[in-house]
Amino acid sequence: MAWFSVPRPLAVLLALSLFGDAVVGIQLDLTSETSIKQVASTIAFDMMSYYKGNLSGQTPGLLPGPPATPQIQNAGYFWWEAGAMFGSMMDYWYYTGDATYNAVVSQGMLFQTGDNDDYLPTNQTNGMGNDDQSFWGMSAMTAAELGFPNPPADKPQWLALAQGVYNVQAGKWDNTTCNGGLHWQAFSFLNGYNYKNAIANGGFFNIASRLAVYTGNDSYAQSAERTWDWMTSVGLIDEDYNVWDGASSLTNCTPIVREQYSYNSAIYLLGAAHMYNYTKGSAIWQTRVEGMLTATITNFFPNGIAYEKICEAKPSTCTIDMLSFKAYLTRWMAAATKQAPFIFDRVLAVLQTSATAAALQCSGSPADHPNGRMCGLSWSLGAAWDGTSGVGQEMAAMEVIQSNLIQQSKAPLTANTGGTSSGDPNAGIGDTSTTTPGGVKPITTADRAGAGILTALVAAVILGGLAWVSMPEKILS
Ligand SMILES: *[C@@H]1O[C@H](CO)[C@@H](O)[C@H](O)[C@H]1NC(C)=O
Ligand SMILES: *[C@@H]1O[C@H](CO)[C@@H](O)[C@H](O)[C@H]1NC(C)=O
Ligand SMILES: *[C@@H]1O[C@H](CO)[C@@H](O)[C@H](O)[C@H]1NC(C)=O
Ligand SMILES: *[C@@H]1O[C@H](CO)[C@@H](O)[C@H](O)[C@H]1NC(C)=O
Ligand SMILES: *[C@@H]1O[C@H](CO)[C@@H](O)[C@H](O)[C@H]1NC(C)=O
């Protein structure tokens, strides 16, 4: 093979191995706290290099790139992923103590709250899913729990923002179809509204259970219970604790779409762990936590290495969203050990094997980051970089690696144990945009074409049992 025909990443690897002892990729020593923090710092830097929202002329809180369309799936990052990324940067600060990015994170979190401080900014109306809103709400909740620096007094506070999201979504619980549940999309005029799914209900369950622990207010726990009960009643959580993707509300939520995503499993694991903690270690929530953990490990950790089984096999069919799911899988598993310490050993074991594999996979040199250390997603491939790079892959590698510090990190705060974030139980209530959203742009012909494709796909999947995997999770966002 001629040197010039060697693919660039391979060329870098070869060059480094032929010329001297230069180390390829990222070296991680899990027995050293310093090593874990250094690696997390490197990956945080690389991840944040994609974020331009703090530069002049840019919009704080948005990741760059044109919105993805059915034609160009991986063209850019959706709004929700930026909210998720800020949450991962709060984790980064929690695990490492490095406050370098805190101001940038706060700026983005506070710029996107929307006019009613419930993460429904009008610019995002045309693609707003309840799950999208939840990802920002969960990051606000994380800020309250971790004691992330409070916003200035004239700005909305972290706890109140999470309560705003909770209140808006509690008002959208819909008993008229499927006996309950939340729709996927936030507004009835959006395509995808007639889909009730695991992630939309999981976001609500997750926030409700965490608010119950943080505030001690039983209303939140009752909502969490009701959501879990609904999920099991329609079979989206089955008796083996598999979490299935969703079902059409037009057909009374039957049949269900039997596809599994790692973040769905983990969002329920973390919520269940909070309910276990809230109920002071009740047997019923212990059983659910155990069951959900076992299913999570069985489904998503073959050989102990996290694997996004719906799309990761070569050739990868992961959408830009799916490339980030392992970040939430691993961060939520780690966080669950704080609420339900009895699962610690089982969680740490797979976080260790996965972190080691993830660090090896950080060996890429894509054209936009030719540094020999960009992370792929296919951790099972060892040091042979899978050829992909981006925010999701960096976030996933950072979370799984820094999560190995969970044992020595402080317990999340509650209002009773030093949490200082101010709440507002009525936040978000009366937000008229939830019924008559403002800022709705006229639907263009292109939107209609895209929407038609989505409708056709959803119909085909639900009626015909076509492979769901061919449909990007967030085609419309
Ligand atoms: C924007 O944030 C990055 C870190 O992500 C930092 O290096 C840079 O200095 C910031 N720029 C401005 C103008 O704040
Ligand atoms: C909404 O879009 C306008 C126009 O692009 C922009 O100026 C504004 O900053 C955006 N607001 C948010 C919250 O993203
Ligand atoms: C929906 O039904 C549940 C019981 O399944 C009940 O607890 C709840 O109050 C009902 N909600 C509304 C808005 O009717
Ligand atoms: C508890 O939460 C519920 C639901 O959000 C709210 O209506 C109520 O005011 C809260 N109670 C207290 C004491 O904060
Ligand atoms: C609840 O969480 C706290 C904080 O992490 C922990 O100390 C406590 O042991 C947990 N309770 C139970 C019943 O496990």
Side-chain angles (χ1 to χ4, degrees):
M1 194 194 285
W3 177 253
F4 53 80
S5 74
V6 174
R8 185 179 177 132
L10 197 55
V12 172
L13 279 173
L14 280 174
L16 289 170
S17 54
L18 288 175
F19 309 114
D21 309 320
V23 170
V24 177
I26 281 182
Q27 298 297 303
L28 172 67
D29 174 4
L30 281 181
T31 65
S32 157
E33 203 171 306
T34 309
S35 168
I36 295 172
K37 289 181 180 178
Q38 275 170 357
V39 169
S41 160
T42 299
I43 300 177
F45 177 88
D46 288 338
M47 178 173 75
M48 289 301 282
S49 73
Y50 289 96
Y51 179 68
K52 311 287 183 211
N54 65 327
L55 304 183
S56 77
Q58 303 288 323
T59 305
L62 301 184
L63 280 163
T69 67
Q71 290 73 35
I72 314 168
Q73 292 172 18
N74 282 12
Y77 299 98
F78 288 122
W79 177 72
W80 75 272
E81 189 164 342
M85 181 186 79
F86 293 134
S88 78
M89 291 306 292
M90 294 169 190
D91 283 350
Y92 169 73
W93 166 76
Y94 165 68
Y95 284 120
T96 66
D98 177 4
T100 302
Y101 304 95
N102 285 8
V104 172
V105 168
S106 284
Q107 182 199 33
M109 286 293 298
L110 295 172
F111 197 80
Q112 293 295 328
T113 59
D115 297 339
N116 298 286
D117 299 338
D118 51 11
Y119 288 115
L120 290 176
T122 52
N123 286 358
Q124 305 299 330
T125 298
N126 275 343
M128 181 63 75
N130 286 315
D131 51 347
D132 302 321
Q133 183 193 24
S134 283
F135 265 91
W136 287 84
M138 289 186 284
S139 291
M141 194 68 228
T142 296
E145 292 164 343
L146 301 185
F148 196 71
N150 287 321
D154 63 341
K155 297 279 186 189
Q157 303 297 304
W158 305 128
L159 178 61
L161 285 164
Q163 287 169 312
V165 172
Y166 167 88
N167 285 331
V168 164
Q169 295 194 355
K172 291 180 173 176
W173 185 267
D174 172 27
N175 281 349
T176 63
T177 56
C178 312
N179 250 325
L182 285 173
H183 294 264
W184 174 28
Q185 293 299 303
F187 306 118
S188 59
F189 58 83
L190 294 176
N191 278 282
Y193 181 76
N194 291 325
Y195 191 54
K196 288 190 172 178
N197 63 356
I199 192 63
N201 287 281
F204 183 63
F205 172 67
N206 188 294
I207 292 174
S209 65
R210 292 162 70 179
L211 284 172
V213 168
Y214 191 97
T215 65
N217 181 333
D218 198 60
S219 289
Y220 301 121
Q222 289 167 25
S223 289
E225 285 266 7
R226 184 162 41 112
T227 308
W228 180 280
D229 291 348
W230 179 79
M231 283 290 292
T232 55
S233 74
V234 293
L236 288 178
I237 296 177
D238 72 16
E239 66 223 17
D240 296 322
Y241 296 91
N242 295 302
V243 182
W244 303 108
D245 192 64
S248 171
S249 61
L250 299 176
T251 54
N252 202 26
C253 286
T254 178
I256 56 171
V257 175
R258 295 174 64 86
E259 298 293 352
Q260 290 181 295
Y261 297 88
S262 66
Y263 74 157
N264 279 336
S265 221
I267 209 167
Y268 285 94
L269 175 67
L270 182 59
H274 278 84
M275 291 305 290
Y276 168 83
N277 202 285
Y278 178 77
T279 57
K280 302 193 169 30
S282 68
I284 184 158
W285 283 105
Q286 178 171 349
T287 303
R288 290 167 177 177
V289 169
E290 261 162 11
M292 194 55 77
L293 178 63
T294 297
T296 303
I297 292 175
T298 305
N299 285 323
F300 300 108
F301 289 87
N303 306 312
I305 299 176
Y307 186 73
E308 196 61 50
K309 65 177 183 173
I310 196 94
C311 63
E312 194 181 312
K314 278 197 154 183
S316 165
T317 52
C318 295
T319 62
I320 202 160
D321 287 348
M322 295 174 196
L323 291 167
S324 71
F325 288 176
K326 283 190 211 170
Y328 325 124
L329 169 69
T330 54
R331 71 182 290 198
W332 290 334
M333 288 173 79
T337 68
K338 288 302 201 208
Q339 305 302 324
F342 72 92
I343 63 173
F344 175 79
D345 290 345
R346 293 176 69 199
V347 170
L348 190 71
V350 295
L351 289 179
Q352 285 175 336
T353 41
S354 294
T356 302
L360 277 175
Q361 183 56 212
C362 296
S363 59
S365 271
D368 60 352
H369 288 81
N371 59 15
R373 63 171 195 231
M374 297 308 282
C375 306
L377 188 76
S378 301
W379 301 345
S380 312
L381 295 181
W385 180 48
D386 70 6
T388 75
S389 56
V391 173
Q393 295 93 315
E394 295 300 311
M395 192 182 352
M398 181 181 79
E399 286 285 15
V400 73
I401 289 167
Q402 68 191 10
S403 288
N404 280 270
L405 295 172
I406 190 69
Q407 187 166 30
Q408 49 269 60
S409 301
K410 68 180 185 196
L413 303 168
T414 70
N416 279 331
T417 63
T420 61
S421 189
S422 305
D424 173 4
N426 297 318
I429 289 177
D431 177 352
T432 53
S433 82
T434 64
T435 43
T436 22
V440 183
K441 296 164 209 140
I443 305 241
T444 64
T445 312
D447 290 337
R448 272 190 227 285
I453 288 164
L454 176 70
T455 309
L457 263 171
V458 171
V461 165
I462 289 172
L463 301 176
L466 278 183
W468 185 251
V469 67
S470 63
M471 189 193 134
E473 177 86 349
K474 272 310 170 43
I475 214 161
L476 260 196
S477 277

